[in-house]
Amino acid sequence: MKLTAPLLLLTLLNSVRGATIAAPAAKPTQFITLDIVNAPLAPDGFPRIGVLANGTLPGPPIVATKGQTLVIKVNNKLTNDTMRLSTSINFDGLFIDSNNIFNEGSPFVTTCPVGPGESYTYTQSSPTTGSFWYHSQLSVQAGDGLRGTLIIYDPDDPLRHLYDVDDASTVLTLIDWWHNTSTSSLASYLATQIIPVSDTGLFNARGRYNGGPEVEFAAVSVVLGKRYRFRLVSLSIRGNFIVSIDNHTMTVIETDGVATVPHEVNILNIHAGQRYSLVVTANQPVGNYWINAFIDGGNPAHNLLLNPGILRYKGAPDEEPQTPMTAGPTGADAVMLNEWELVPLVPIPAPEPDFNLTFRTFMPAGITQWEINNISYVPPSVPTLVRVLNGETEEKDFNLTENTFLFPANKAIQIEIIEEAAINEGHPFHLHGMNFWVVKSNGSDIVNTVNPIRRDVVITGSGNIILRFRTDRPGPWSFHCHILYHFAAGLGSVIGVQFDEVGKIVHPTEAWEQLCPAYHALPVSEQ
């Protein structure tokens, strides 16, 4: 059957709609299959081929209950050689046990990528609950679409009394989207120092771009009088979104998987990789209201900047709101979320540091290369974990460009990050495997060691920020900018914890041990 243009567009748009992968709470183990494929999609009406989990954008939601073990089989079925053909999946925010660190998914830190035609099974068991996500960690491949949500529900959520609805319909996603492939965008960035601006911002996998068709915006259904826990997940790899809902307030109750003392705002800035749970009460007259998602620092030549969804009350007409789109409340009407005002529901004082580090981020003139303390991270060909298991456990065993910092067990580390670039980029730094205490946030002079927020992605800025964490989890843990273009250009490091103990507790499977030989045997075009 020959598809007409409208039918082809509808077919491509439907390809972004995935089915929820859910697990009955009674089952201790949940088995999931992700087929990584090249498939057509057009979330903003522009048709292209993507790198997608089970053919959808976002990938199928992974849903679990506290205490469940996730067994996730990844089948690499990629064939389009205009994009990366290998892949590696990371599960952001999960506190994977040290003895299972080989399933952590960080290429060239804890594993080698999975080559085309190959499969690998990641086993994930984590004590954490909350809102997380999974994505390709290989270069900037996530920009081609390999990203999805991962929600772990807590049957005993201490904040359960604050909301009535918390299900698949209340998981909200934000995506920065490019019409070009990630490989061509990265090549352009490395050649010009100009980071590619996304063509579109997507709310729940729908959006519009300049000159494009009027794709129907995604609508979120609510019932008058009910309270909704919206899990806002940034699946972004570069852009940050400023989010608000016309005529409604939002009460923050979770930050990157950490339950938070309820904090009411009406506008917030969410950066690449960050997640918030927001309680919103449907207490306005029945109608349609804009959910505003403004890409900060975007370019109207590429995208519309305003990337809305629709909050649609039951009984309201199936139409767009009659009010104009905006960037949200401004001036005296704006109650912005300030990170330093967030307090964990279970406060834990930040430990006094045993070691103090200063990270100075910088981009030299004339070259696309980000540096931490004058070192641009270059991933080794043999993953850090492989080498640690082979007995390389001292600082002298690692090249300077690996930017690896070694620490003994059970110590408190303080890292002060200072932005020294000529242009303030606002780097969302992400620590794998654990949270950090945000002792000093960007935009504030407050130093809080009593009850600071704990999270795994924090934004830097024109001043300095101060983070602390404990070395309680042996292994190599990636610590990098979650703008994946910056990470690919060197803005990363490895936090090495108690390397002399890793070999005693980490016993990888034969399947993991075969990943590196198989990957290194591939021609460069298939890596």
Side-chain angles (χ1 to χ4, degrees):
M1 179 179 69
K2 185 176 181 180
L3 296 177
T4 63
L7 184 56
L8 174 61
L9 177 59
L10 179 62
T11 301
L12 292 171
L13 285 172
N14 282 337
S15 73
V16 306
R17 298 168 180 165
T20 297
I21 298 178
K27 294 183 178 180
T29 302
Q30 180 182 172
F31 295 91
I32 297 163
T33 298
L34 298 179
D35 291 330
I36 312 304
V37 298
N38 295 118
L41 76 165
D44 58 358
F46 183 92
R48 61 159 290 188
I49 301 297
V51 175
L52 309 173
N54 292 8
T56 68
L57 175 75
I62 297 176
V63 181
T65 302
K66 182 179 180 179
Q68 280 190 313
T69 295
L70 300 174
V71 179
I72 305 167
K73 184 177 183 181
V74 171
N75 300 314
N76 185 346
K77 298 183 177 182
L78 297 174
T79 58
N80 189 314
D81 61 5
T82 67
M83 294 170 279
R84 293 295 289 261
L85 291 176
S86 293
T87 194
S88 189
I89 310 298
N90 178 249
F91 304 88
D92 261 25
L94 296 189
F95 291 176
I96 192 166
D97 292 334
S98 290
N99 59 8
N100 191 39
I101 193 173
F102 58 92
N103 277 318
E104 196 265 341
S106 295
F108 313 112
V109 178
T110 60
T111 191
C112 276
V114 182
E118 301 295 331
S119 299
Y120 184 75
T121 299
Y122 298 89
T123 299
Q124 301 286 322
S125 179
S126 173
T128 46
T129 60
S131 308
F132 309 100
W133 65 303
Y134 66 91
H135 63 92
S136 170
Q137 187 78 23
L138 182 62
S139 186
V140 293
Q141 187 183 56
D144 293 312
L146 185 40
R147 0 181 184 173
T149 58
L150 194 168
I151 309 299
I152 302 179
Y153 291 96
D154 183 356
D156 302 313
D157 180 11
L159 296 173
R160 179 66 182 82
H161 63 286
L162 296 178
Y163 54 88
D164 305 306
V165 183
D166 179 24
D167 58 22
S169 72
T170 63
V171 178
L172 311 180
T173 60
L174 298 168
I175 294 175
D176 45 3
W177 185 244
W178 286 264
H179 294 164
N180 294 327
T181 64
S182 65
T183 45
S184 61
S185 294
L186 179 59
S188 173
Y189 175 49
L190 295 176
T192 65
Q193 285 193 300
I194 302 173
I195 194 167
V197 177
S198 61
D199 293 289
T200 316
L202 306 178
F203 174 83
N204 277 7
R206 293 294 185 92
R208 297 177 185 175
Y209 67 96
N210 280 352
E214 291 192 358
V215 171
E216 182 181 354
F217 291 121
V220 179
S221 298
V222 296
V223 174
L224 180 65
K226 289 192 176 293
R227 303 165 301 168
Y228 293 82
R229 177 177 182 163
F230 289 125
R231 295 174 181 265
L232 184 65
V233 183
S234 172
L235 305 182
S236 171
I237 67 165
R238 190 224 167 176
N240 58 296
F241 290 76
I242 300 175
V243 178
S244 62
I245 305 174
D246 284 358
N247 294 13
H248 293 75
T249 60
M250 306 174 290
T251 301
V252 180
I253 63 168
E254 178 214 348
T255 302
D256 293 359
V258 176
T260 307
V261 173
H263 183 71
E264 187 174 286
V265 299
N266 62 14
I267 187 168
L268 63 86
N269 196 348
I270 185 168
H271 295 266
Q274 292 184 328
R275 296 90 60 201
Y276 292 106
S277 278
L278 313 167
V279 175
V280 175
T281 301
N283 58 4
Q284 296 299 302
V286 170
N288 292 295
Y289 299 85
W290 288 118
I291 301 173
N292 308 298
F294 178 90
I295 297 184
D296 187 30
N299 185 339
H302 293 262
N303 58 56
L304 297 171
L305 296 178
L306 301 177
N307 308 280
I310 300 171
L311 189 72
R312 175 167 295 149
Y313 280 68
K314 183 178 180 180
D318 186 4
E319 64 183 19
E320 293 182 5
Q322 300 304 301
T323 55
M325 300 179 194
T326 72
T330 59
D333 295 329
V335 183
M336 175 64 77
L337 172 61
N338 295 315
E339 182 180 65
W340 59 89
E341 295 175 345
L342 293 172
V343 177
L345 189 64
V346 180
I348 302 174
E352 287 300 309
D354 299 297
F355 295 90
N356 289 276
L357 295 180
T358 299
F359 279 8
R360 299 181 183 274
T361 64
F362 182 72
M363 173 176 272
I367 181 172
T368 310
Q369 176 176 296
W370 279 99
E371 297 176 347
I372 294 175
N373 296 348
N374 300 316
I375 297 172
S376 184
Y377 176 74
V378 178
S381 58
V382 178
T384 309
L385 180 60
V386 173
R387 292 159 58 201
V388 172
L389 292 174
N390 288 335
E392 298 181 40
T393 60
E394 300 180 19
E395 199 164 297
K396 63 179 178 60
D397 297 322
F398 301 93
N399 292 332
L400 191 66
T401 54
E402 293 177 62
N403 227 6
T404 299
F405 300 85
L406 304 188
F407 300 104
N410 305 315
K411 299 296 182 182
I413 314 301
Q414 175 169 296
I415 297 182
E416 180 180 14
I417 302 179
I418 300 173
E419 171 67 71
E420 292 189 340
I423 300 175
N424 173 27
E425 292 279 350
H427 303 291
F429 267 88
H430 171 53
L431 178 60
H432 288 217
M434 65 195 86
N435 282 333
F436 36 65
W437 286 268
V438 185
V439 171
K440 182 180 180 299
S441 295
N442 175 43
S444 172
D445 292 328
I446 298 171
V447 175
N448 178 8
T449 62
V450 177
N451 59 355
I453 191 63
R454 303 186 302 276
R455 66 185 317 169
D456 59 69
V457 183
V458 66
I459 188 70
T460 67
S462 56
N464 68 324
I465 65 169
I466 300 174
L467 313 174
R468 293 182 189 174
F469 60 90
R470 288 193 58 83
T471 57
D472 297 334
R473 309 174 74 81
W477 304 102
S478 186
F479 183 44
H480 63 89
C481 177
H482 223 308
I483 295 175
L484 295 187
Y485 288 95
H486 289 173
F487 187 23
L491 197 52
S493 63
V494 174
I495 302 298
V497 178
Q498 203 179 2
F499 275 1
D500 56 346
E501 288 294 312
V502 172
K504 301 175 184 177
I505 62 174
V506 178
H507 305 288
T509 61
E510 182 179 350
W512 178 84
E513 292 176 341
Q514 293 303 311
L515 285 175
C516 284
Y519 178 79
H520 290 137
L522 292 172
V524 173
S525 61
E526 295 185 14
Q527 293 182 344

